Each structure stands twice: as C-alpha cells, then as structure tokens.
Amino acid sequence: MKQRIDKLETNGFLPREELRCLLCDISAADTEYLFARARAVRERVYGKAVWLRGLIEISSYCKNNCLYCGIRAGNAKAERYRLTPEEIHFCAKNGYALGFRTFVLQGGEDPWFTDERLCAIVADLRKDYPDCAITLSMGERSRRSYQALFNAGADRYLLRHETANAAHYASLHPEEMRLSSRLKCLQHLKDIGYQVGCGFMVGSPGQDTDCLLDDLEFIHSFLPAMVGIGPFLPHKDTPFAKEAPGTLEMTLRLLAVLRLMQPNALLPATTALGTVHPLGREKGLLAGANIVMPNLSPVTVRRKYMLYDNKICTGEEAAECRYCLQRRIESVGYSIEVNRGDFIPPAEKG
Ligand code: SAH
C-alpha cells in the first residue's frame, strides 16, 4: 500500500481500482503513512500556514429543497433570517480587526439577493477592504449574475458539486435540480476567472465507493482551487433525519488523498468535521487541510443557520471562535497567516 501512496503522490492520480483500495482496504499503519505524506506535500507548498476564512451566513431563506439540508424550503420549522447590508458590513469590520483577510458570504438561494443588491454589498466590501478576498457561496445563479458579481469585486466562489454521480445527485435533490446545471455553473465560474471551490459531503445517504471515485475523478479533471468536504450529518426536520452520519475516518482519508492529488489545493477542515468529532478540525489539518472557516455571523442568528443537527460554534462570539481556533491550530504545530491566502496555481510541468 505504501508504494501505491507514493505513486499517487508522484503521479497526482491513480487508476480507479487502486484508488478504491486506498479508500476501502487501508490499514491503520498505512493510513498514518498516507496522512504523513499529505502533510509533507502540504508543507512543501504552503508551509505550516493555516488561513482563516471568515464565514458570514447572510440568509437562511432558501428556495431549494435539498433533502439533506436543514434550511430547505420545505422545512417549515426552520427559523428564517436575512442580514441587512449594514449587518454584513459590520461582521466584516469585526472580522478585519480579528485578522481575517477573506470574507465568505454564504446563504440559501434567497431571491431577495438580486444581482443589484448583492453587487452593491460586494462593491461596498471591495471598496472598504481592498486587501481582502471576497468569496461568495450563494448557490446556482446565471452566468450573467456571476459575471456581474465578479465585476463588482468578488474573487472566489464556493459551489459544492455535492456528488459527481448523476443518479446519486438525483436521490439527494428534488426533481428540478440537476447535476448538469450544477456543473455548468462551476464551469461558468471558472471561465469568468473566479478561484472556484467545489466539494461534496462524505457519507451522504446512498453514497457508495463508486460515487466517491466519481467525485475524485471529477475533481481531477476540473482542477478547482478549493475543495470543501465534510461528513454528511442528519438534520431532524429533513427526510434524512434517520440516516447515519458520515465518518471522521473516511473524511480524513479523502482529505489526504485530495492533498496528494492536488498539492496546491486549498482544503478546509470544515465545521462539519469539527461537529462529528471534538478534534475533527485538528485531525483534518494533520491529514492535509490548510484552511479553517470560523463563523463571523452575529450570534443572534447562528442557531438559525442549522444545516445539520448539533452544529458547533453557534453560541460563541466571533472573537471567541477566532481565538479558540488559533489554539487548536497551534496545538498541532501550525500557525495562522494574516493575508488573503490565495490559491497558488501549480507550476506548469515540462
Ligand atoms: N446555497 C449554497 C450554500 C449551501 S450550504 C449552495 O448551494 O452552495 C453549504 C454546504 O453545506 C452545502 O453545499 C452542503 O454540502 C453542506 N450541507 C448542507 N446540509 C448538510 C448536512 N446535513 N450535513 C453536512 N453538510 C451539509
């Protein structure tokens, strides 16, 4: 198995059946080796730096009805809120003082955020924080809309593909949502010039190893700047309430494989990883992740952005989250870097 791991590191990819072995038949000792190689590769490209991305959850309204998500339109029990442009600006101001140089505006697909309104918010942040990256994670929009937001000053866009297997995608989403639309959005974002993040949930209902292999193959061909992965976690008021959560182990293994496949990728140790295990994010960093995304949303709305049950960090102020994460990062020998932390494209080979 060690040879196979070395081959993955050297070639950046493995034939499907070899990848399958890595995901399914790996011993504890080989897993340690996999993580050690992932750390070595991450340190070669990004050193011991970890970047903070300040997450501002701007709306819990959503027109979509994804079966896994706690803020799906069909969840009548979900409490809805929407931050005002002033509140969003205040979160960023607070974050800037705490050393954040990336703001991630995330929300449900809320029709209130028209291009006009969202562009005004982005342009305002761009003007006041010229040294910061602005990331959007607001779901599927038209190419025109993505272009307008880019022109207004957005640099990056996170849109997880959720699963690269069309049948699996259909089982996680309502009829009107299509994998092909999702992939088209990702391509538009890339063509426009965004640093694009895709990603998927680990252990979502119906996901088998072939789905994960499809995800890895998609990522290998799409070459995203960022890949967000975290365990699926059930939410009590969704159709998947009784489904089993994804595991820490599989998520870590996938993070390490992704690091070897794409040495330069920005890989977050996600909140979901910190929810599935108290030291999940630390373990994620030790398996190749180099990003954490502390919450900058006002504490008054945190409980309302419940994508899954038991989400962590819903009670703390931004500053508490920031310093808690700093301790966690330093506990595993890494340190926070205060700058935008842009994707470094791999040097052209040959
Ligand atoms: N509306 C935006 C943001 C969605 S929330 C968009 O469509 O991109 C961000 C991510 O949270 C989703 O892409 C999904 O992968 C993840 N998520 C949603 N529900 C989840 C759950 N129950 N468990 C784990 N992750 C979940």
Side-chain angles (χ1 to χ4, degrees):
M1 192 64 90
K2 287 200 172 64
Q3 269 176 328
R4 191 169 276 147
I5 295 169
D6 291 340
K7 185 170 154 196
L8 174 61
E9 180 179 343
T10 309
N11 299 350
F13 207 61
L14 283 180
R16 192 168 172 104
E17 292 316 308
E18 292 194 49
L19 271 179
R20 188 190 304 276
C21 293
L22 251 186
L23 295 184
C24 300
D25 306 318
I26 186 168
S27 68
D30 289 335
T31 303
E32 276 317 307
Y33 184 72
L34 173 68
F35 293 170
R37 290 319 306 157
R39 285 197 293 277
V41 167
R42 162 269 208 273
E43 286 175 26
R44 195 179 73 224
V45 183
Y46 290 107
K48 293 196 178 277
V50 173
W51 285 275
L52 302 177
R53 313 300 200 202
L55 185 64
I56 308 176
E57 298 155 331
I58 68 176
S59 176
S60 69
Y61 286 90
C62 192
K63 67 177 169 60
N64 289 336
N65 219 7
C66 308
L67 276 74
Y68 44 84
C69 186
I71 62 166
R72 65 201 302 267
N75 180 9
K77 291 192 186 152
E79 288 179 64
R80 307 291 171 173
Y81 73 91
R82 177 182 296 128
L83 298 185
T84 63
E86 293 71 32
E87 285 171 318
I88 295 169
H89 207 268
F90 184 78
C91 291
K93 185 173 173 201
N94 191 12
Y96 192 89
L98 290 168
F100 290 83
R101 294 297 177 268
T102 294
F103 304 120
V104 183
L105 273 45
Q106 187 179 83
E109 288 194 19
D110 176 356
W112 189 88
F113 285 98
T114 57
D115 290 350
E116 198 184 350
R117 288 184 174 130
L118 198 51
C119 282
I121 292 167
V122 168
D124 217 31
L125 291 174
R126 176 48 62 238
K127 173 170 64 63
D128 289 346
Y129 302 101
D131 55 337
C132 292
I134 302 172
T135 305
L136 298 175
S137 179
M138 301 291 294
E140 296 179 26
R141 303 174 76 96
S142 66
R143 185 184 173 124
R144 244 181 110 87
S145 168
Y146 289 147
Q147 183 70 58
L149 292 162
F150 186 78
N151 296 347
D155 313 279
R156 306 185 187 140
Y157 206 103
L158 303 179
L159 184 72
R160 290 187 177 183
H161 63 282
E162 311 297 359
T163 169
N165 180 292
H168 186 224
Y169 192 93
S171 73
L172 300 179
H173 297 96
E175 171 66 33
E176 63 278 9
M177 292 180 75
R178 292 284 154 85
L179 177 60
S180 55
S181 324
R182 200 86 180 164
L183 299 183
K184 197 153 93 196
C185 287
L186 283 166
Q187 193 57 50
H188 286 157
L189 289 162
K190 200 174 197 192
D191 292 345
I192 290 167
Y194 282 95
Q195 291 175 41
V196 182
C198 63
F200 57 93
M201 288 175 290
V202 179
S204 56
Q207 180 182 67
D208 57 16
T209 309
D210 277 292
C211 294
L212 292 171
L213 295 169
D214 290 346
D215 288 320
L216 295 178
E217 285 174 2
F218 166 67
I219 290 164
H220 180 65
S221 62
F222 184 66
L223 295 176
M226 302 167 270
V227 185
I229 67 167
F232 158 77
L233 298 166
H235 184 289
K236 60 182 177 13
D237 301 316
T238 63
F240 290 160
K242 298 272 181 282
E243 299 288 340
T247 66
L248 172 75
E249 291 72 21
M250 186 55 100
T251 309
L252 295 176
R253 215 174 292 157
L254 283 158
L255 275 173
V257 167
L258 286 166
R259 174 58 66 205
L260 296 184
M261 275 174 51
Q262 308 217 343
N264 297 50
L266 299 165
L267 296 177
T270 57
T271 305
L273 192 55
T275 300
V276 82
H277 187 283
L279 296 176
R281 286 169 297 179
E282 289 86 329
K283 290 174 187 288
L285 294 173
L286 293 173
N290 61 339
I291 301 280
V292 291
M293 301 177 66
N295 203 317
L296 284 180
S297 310
V299 175
T300 47
V301 305
R302 298 265 181 108
R303 271 182 323 99
K304 301 180 189 167
Y305 198 80
M306 275 294 174
L307 305 180
Y308 44 79
D309 293 335
N310 306 314
K311 187 175 162 217
I312 54 169
C313 312
T314 53
E316 289 95 349
E317 291 288 348
E320 291 176 74
C321 279
R322 156 76 174 72
Y323 291 108
C324 162
L325 273 165
Q326 178 169 351
R327 278 194 303 279
R328 290 170 182 271
I329 290 164
E330 290 173 357
S331 79
V332 292
Y334 292 126
S335 58
I336 292 177
E337 189 126 320
V338 179
N339 59 34
R340 289 170 45 117
D342 282 299
F343 175 62
I344 303 173
E348 292 292 327
K349 288 212 178 79

